Amino acid sequence: MSEQRLLILVGSYSEAADNGIHTYSLDAQNGKLQKLGELAGLKNPTFLNVDASNSRLYSIAEGVSEQGERTAEAVAIAYNANTGELQETSRALGLTASACHVLRDTDNRFLLLSSYGGGRVGLVGLKDDGEIGEIRDIKQHEGRSVNVERQQEPHPHSAAFSPDGRYVFVPDLGIDRIRTYSIDVGQGTLKFHHDNELHPGAGPRHMVFHPGGQFAYVINELDSTITAFSYNAEEGRLSTIETVSTLPADYTGESDCAEIAVSEDGKFLYGSNRGHDSIAVYGIDAATGKLALVQHVSVEGAHPRHFALMPGGQLLLVANRDTNNITVFRVERDTGRLQFTGHSETVSKPVCIVSAQLDN
């Protein structure tokens, strides 16, 4: 791995008075984490997006409107790439409902916030200096699906840009659809492009594109599956290839899915199971995009809400929310298999992990 030390930034469930964002240095050789800093003042900064080229972090935080309703704030935070020190630089209303995910476009013009609870997505402008601007557009989703407990209303859970940045894909757990938008940069608005319907009761949550651009994968929270798609970049449309289970065939307990990631070389896919408390590892067929199970490995904790592959692809970090720990795994590059390093760092209710290079 070219980077010997990485900066790890962790978002968590927390009250505003408590430290909700934490920074660590990660020794890329042995997988050991060392605490650097933390930041208070944000309620539930549960998802993060890092702009490494400008040493800036974007976070969501929970707010309250004058009417007492939950809102989402978009927050810009400067980080010191040598010490890991954090300093909030701006914040503004990001969405008229609580948010669960934040995404930045590649040209640093917009943030896209997804609201599970409010059933909507919001587009927030970024100023030329990267600070938080105003809400530019909000799109409310409508509909329901078959799960009587979780799908009586729309629940957008995340967003993912196409490799060329022309389209943004929003998995909506509540209506079993991936909704595709384009961004009208001049008007600062989201324009509906296309819907992909998943099988009833899937509950699509997070999505990732293959680095080659020809495939995409969505992890379905409610029925513990992953759906593979081929991607037509010219038309901005997905076509279903197959759906596979994330659980062992003999597992009968309760479980649901959370995060999904593809290795930098495009050979392997990873998905997290909460309940079975594992990472499922698959090989990716380079010609067809189909998945072949490689391994289920314990996350050495409970409720793996999120995980992240580190730059260089040799380490994977897991945020185990219910056991308040981050665990570090070595990645076997040839097989994709994971092996626990023995390193586990205590942190309260971790939800999201992102990384950047730490100056040496």
Side-chain angles (χ1 to χ4, degrees):
M1 184 182 296
S2 59
E3 299 89 349
Q4 298 303 306
R5 296 172 69 227
L6 291 171
L7 177 65
I8 306 301
L9 304 109
V10 179
S12 67
Y13 281 112
S14 66
E15 294 299 322
D18 300 325
N19 292 309
I21 300 179
H22 311 266
T23 61
Y24 300 84
S25 66
L26 172 66
D27 187 316
Q29 295 302 309
N30 61 28
K32 185 176 181 179
L33 290 164
Q34 180 179 350
K35 187 68 174 286
L36 294 178
E38 48 200 5
L39 181 70
L42 290 76
K43 182 176 182 180
N44 292 333
T46 53
F47 215 87
L48 309 174
N49 179 275
V50 65
D51 176 7
S53 61
N54 293 302
S55 298
R56 184 178 287 110
L57 182 70
Y58 294 102
S59 175
I60 53 175
E62 189 175 317
V64 180
S65 70
E66 294 180 358
Q67 293 74 33
E69 299 174 341
R70 293 171 66 186
T71 63
E73 296 174 323
V75 186
I77 300 161
Y79 66 82
N80 185 306
N82 181 47
T83 66
E85 180 183 358
L86 302 170
Q87 182 179 2
E88 180 182 327
T89 58
S90 63
R91 76 166 73 189
L93 180 67
L95 195 58
T96 54
S98 59
C100 60
H101 190 272
V102 59
L103 180 70
R104 174 179 48 89
D105 78 319
T106 54
D107 294 323
N108 292 338
R109 297 168 300 190
F110 301 102
L111 297 178
L112 192 78
L113 275 62
S114 302
S115 173
Y116 178 95
R120 66 198 69 159
V121 292
L123 192 68
V124 177
L126 290 175
K127 299 178 182 179
D128 291 343
D129 59 1
E131 301 300 337
I132 306 296
E134 299 178 346
I135 296 176
R136 303 297 301 273
D137 195 15
I138 294 175
K139 289 290 187 286
Q140 179 69 48
H141 291 192
E142 303 291 344
R144 63 177 60 185
S145 193
V146 299
N147 187 306
V148 295
E149 294 182 354
R150 300 286 306 279
Q151 293 184 313
Q152 294 305 293
E153 57 189 5
H155 294 304
H157 215 305
S158 64
F161 276 105
S162 59
D164 61 10
R166 294 173 59 204
Y167 300 100
V168 62
F169 295 79
V170 179
D172 191 314
L173 179 148
I175 60 176
D176 284 328
R177 294 176 182 231
I178 299 174
R179 179 151 295 172
T180 310
Y181 296 97
S182 61
I183 298 178
D184 186 320
V185 176
Q187 297 295 319
T189 58
L190 293 166
K191 297 175 60 178
F192 173 79
H193 177 67
H194 182 68
D195 268 354
N196 276 90
E197 294 188 19
L198 284 95
H199 55 279
R205 178 184 172 99
H206 283 190
M207 179 178 172
V208 65
F209 277 86
H210 188 275
Q214 72 273 44
F215 306 119
Y217 301 89
V218 66
I219 195 160
N220 300 309
E221 177 176 338
L222 299 185
D223 72 349
S224 298
T225 61
I226 292 172
T227 300
F229 301 91
S230 60
Y231 180 59
N232 185 316
E234 183 177 350
E235 297 180 1
R237 291 177 181 257
L238 303 165
S239 298
T240 302
I241 298 172
E242 66 170 352
T243 297
V244 301
S245 175
T246 63
L247 296 170
D250 59 354
Y251 181 74
T252 58
E254 293 185 3
S255 191
D256 56 39
C257 290
E259 180 62 337
I260 187 169
V262 173
S263 60
E264 291 177 354
D265 60 13
K267 294 181 179 180
F268 303 103
L269 181 144
Y270 302 83
S272 65
N273 292 305
R274 301 175 296 178
H276 188 249
D277 292 332
S278 65
I279 301 293
V281 185
Y282 305 84
I284 299 175
D285 187 297
T288 66
K290 290 186 175 182
L291 303 175
L293 182 66
V294 171
Q295 176 194 32
H296 288 97
V297 62
S298 169
V299 294
E300 305 295 333
H303 197 96
R305 180 83 179 209
H306 192 261
F307 66 87
L309 286 160
M310 296 296 100
Q314 295 183 21
L315 295 173
L316 182 146
L317 274 60
V318 182
N320 295 310
R321 189 197 68 183
D322 289 358
T323 44
N324 302 308
N325 67 326
I326 296 171
T327 49
V328 183
F329 292 81
R330 181 75 57 188
V331 181
E332 295 180 4
R333 299 295 298 276
D334 293 338
T335 66
R337 295 176 66 89
L338 302 178
Q339 181 177 3
F340 181 48
T341 62
H343 295 300
S344 176
E345 182 73 18
T346 299
V347 58
S348 177
K349 299 179 182 178
V351 177
C352 180
I353 299 172
V354 294
S355 65
Q357 189 166 359
L358 187 64
D359 290 347
N360 292 301

